[in-house]
């Protein structure tokens, strides 16, 4: 069933800015989740010379029904990628960088060591740049999580993505409780590192289910929450049940802050790394 896109979700791209950043990424053999996931903020962020880098290739070993990132046979790990990414951060003059990845269940550590090497490379070349990593669940293995934690990024984000009730439909290869356990373990091991999670709405969740998710995230001491509208990438992906209004997003933010989150970004075009640098102000 096709739904007419509401006015509040219509965005314009700055083609010149998009082309400039796209060319830089191509020259350094880097991927951005902005492009791979077809993010609606791509034009705005590229214009600001900001991007969320996606390491470990562009092919995911899982097949979530909402995601536009390619699934299939994973690519070989590029050992030069940490260095190239650090160079891109320097060329872009980023104050804050977000690094994410596809899920790599084919790798013994889920890609944790590559995350750590990338954090180290960015920090060595850009000592004043704050670093956020948006990690997959790394199979929920504590030793894998320890590798990322020990690299000491400023923020560790792991997205729950949707409410518990819809997990089997939206994320059949993931596990709601495991994702919460990832956030809980990070905060237990490194209380000084900000933890963050994000969800999309528009799958058919109820307000009560969203508030239950907030409570679950707060029980594991998650600091930051992002809430955005699910946008269907293609006919192959799970359908949208509704376009949630800006007023409802404002209500979610109000309730979440009252419940105890330190920072919430909630809006139709919000994505987990959208204006991520703003959230760091809660530590100042």
């Amino acid at each position: 069933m096709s739904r007419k896109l509401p006015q509040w979700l219509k965005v314009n791209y700055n083609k010149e800015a998009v082309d400039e950043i796209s060319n830089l990424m191509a020259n350094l053999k880097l991927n951005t989740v902005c492009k791979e996931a077809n993010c609606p903020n791509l034009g705005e962020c590229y214009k600001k010379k900001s991007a969320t880098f996606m390491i470990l290739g562009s092919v995911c070993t899982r097949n979530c029904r909402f995601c536009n990132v390619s699934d299939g046979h994973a690519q070989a790990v590029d050992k030069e990628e940490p260095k190239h990414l650090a160079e891109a951060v320097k060329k872009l003059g980023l104050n804050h960088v977000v690094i994410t990845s596809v899920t790599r269940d084919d790798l013994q550590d889920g890609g944790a060591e590559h995350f750590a090497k990338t954090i180290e490379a960015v920090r060595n070349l850009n000592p004043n740049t704050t670093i956020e990593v948006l990690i997959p669940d790394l199979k929920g293995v504590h030793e894998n999580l320890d590798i990322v934690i020990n690299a000491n990024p400023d923020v560790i984000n792991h997205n729950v993505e949707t409410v518990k009730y819809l997990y089997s439909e939206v994320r059949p290869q993931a596990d709601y409780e495991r994702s919460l356990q990832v956030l809980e373990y990070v905060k237990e091991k490194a209380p000084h590192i900000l933890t963050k999670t994000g969800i999309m709405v528009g799958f058919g969740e109820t307000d009560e289910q969203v508030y239950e998710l907030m409570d679950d995230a707060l029980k594991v001491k998650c600091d930051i929450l992002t809430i955005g509208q699910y946008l269907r990438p293609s006919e192959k992906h799970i359908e949208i049940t509704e376009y949630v209004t800006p007023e409802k997003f404002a209500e979610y933010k109000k309730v979440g802050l009252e419940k105890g989150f330190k920072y919430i970004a909630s809006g139709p075009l919000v994505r987990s790394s959208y204006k991520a640098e703003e959230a760091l102000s809660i530590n100042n």
Side-chain angles (χ1 to χ4, degrees), residues 33 52 119 129 177 199 225 231-232 252 273 275:
V33 74
T52 297
I119 293 166
T129 299
E177 297 298 337
I199 64 167
L225 175 68
L231 295 174
R232 193 182 190 192
Y252 285 151
S273 56
K275 297 185 177 178

Side-chain angles (χ1 to χ4, degrees), residues 19-269:
D19 288 346
E20 180 185 353
I21 304 299
S22 295
N23 289 336
L24 172 62
M25 299 304 170
N27 289 338
L28 291 172
K29 298 180 181 178
L30 296 171
N31 296 304
T32 67
V33 74
C34 322
K35 180 181 176 184
E36 299 298 331
N38 198 23
C39 178
N41 302 309
L42 183 144
E44 177 185 350
C45 293
Y46 276 18
K47 186 177 180 181
K48 294 177 180 176
K49 294 193 173 181
S50 173
T52 297
F53 296 95
M54 188 167 75
I55 61 175
L56 292 165
S58 59
V59 177
C60 188
T61 56
R62 297 189 190 173
N63 187 19
C64 295
R65 296 190 61 214
F66 63 85
C67 186
N68 195 52
V69 175
S70 302
D71 65 287
H73 296 292
Q75 298 148 318
V77 175
D78 179 3
K79 293 181 180 179
E80 294 297 309
E81 187 171 52
K83 174 188 170 189
H84 291 159
L85 195 151
E87 290 170 355
V89 170
K90 191 169 185 67
K91 286 182 180 179
L92 288 168
L94 300 184
N95 296 318
H96 182 70
V97 59
V98 183
I99 304 160
T100 188
S101 78
V102 290
T103 299
R104 292 296 301 263
D105 289 328
D106 60 308
L107 301 176
Q108 187 172 356
D109 67 355
E113 189 65 40
H114 197 70
F115 262 105
K117 288 177 179 176
T118 305
I119 293 166
E120 181 182 7
V122 170
R123 190 159 279 144
N124 286 343
L125 200 58
N126 308 272
N128 296 320
T129 299
T130 50
I131 301 171
E132 175 176 330
V133 291
L134 169 53
I135 61 171
D137 61 31
L138 301 178
K139 308 177 187 180
V141 176
H142 289 178
E143 289 80 1
N144 297 343
L145 294 168
D146 285 338
I147 293 169
V148 178
I149 292 167
N150 291 338
N152 201 34
D154 299 275
V155 183
I156 293 181
N157 183 359
H158 173 64
N159 284 336
V160 180
E161 303 289 11
T162 188
V163 298
K164 182 177 183 179
Y165 177 76
L166 293 174
Y167 244 64
S168 60
E169 184 179 358
V170 177
R171 305 194 74 200
Q173 292 173 281
D175 182 273
Y176 181 80
E177 297 298 337
R178 182 169 62 199
S179 285
L180 289 173
Q181 288 163 9
V182 166
L183 294 165
E184 182 175 37
Y185 183 76
V186 170
K187 186 54 77 174
E188 285 177 353
K189 289 285 286 192
H192 67 285
I193 295 178
L194 290 172
T195 53
K196 177 177 175 181
T197 195
I199 64 167
M200 294 170 291
V201 291
F203 293 120
E205 65 290 317
T206 65
D207 288 354
E208 290 73 22
Q209 289 165 352
V210 172
Y211 298 144
E212 179 187 28
L213 182 148
M214 289 181 180
D215 291 338
D216 288 342
L218 286 167
K219 283 175 189 172
V220 298
K221 300 182 180 178
C222 184
D223 299 301
I224 302 164
L225 175 68
T226 60
I227 310 173
Q229 170 71 53
Y230 166 61
L231 295 174
R232 193 182 190 192
S234 78
E235 294 296 315
K236 296 185 299 182
H237 293 80
I238 194 168
E239 286 192 18
I240 294 173
T241 61
E242 67 173 318
Y243 289 117
V244 178
T245 65
E247 291 76 19
K248 175 59 70 176
F249 278 106
E251 181 182 323
Y252 285 151
K253 180 174 182 177
K254 180 175 181 291
V255 171
L257 289 173
E258 288 172 351
K259 283 179 175 290
F261 284 101
K262 295 179 180 177
Y263 183 93
I264 293 180
S266 178
L269 292 173

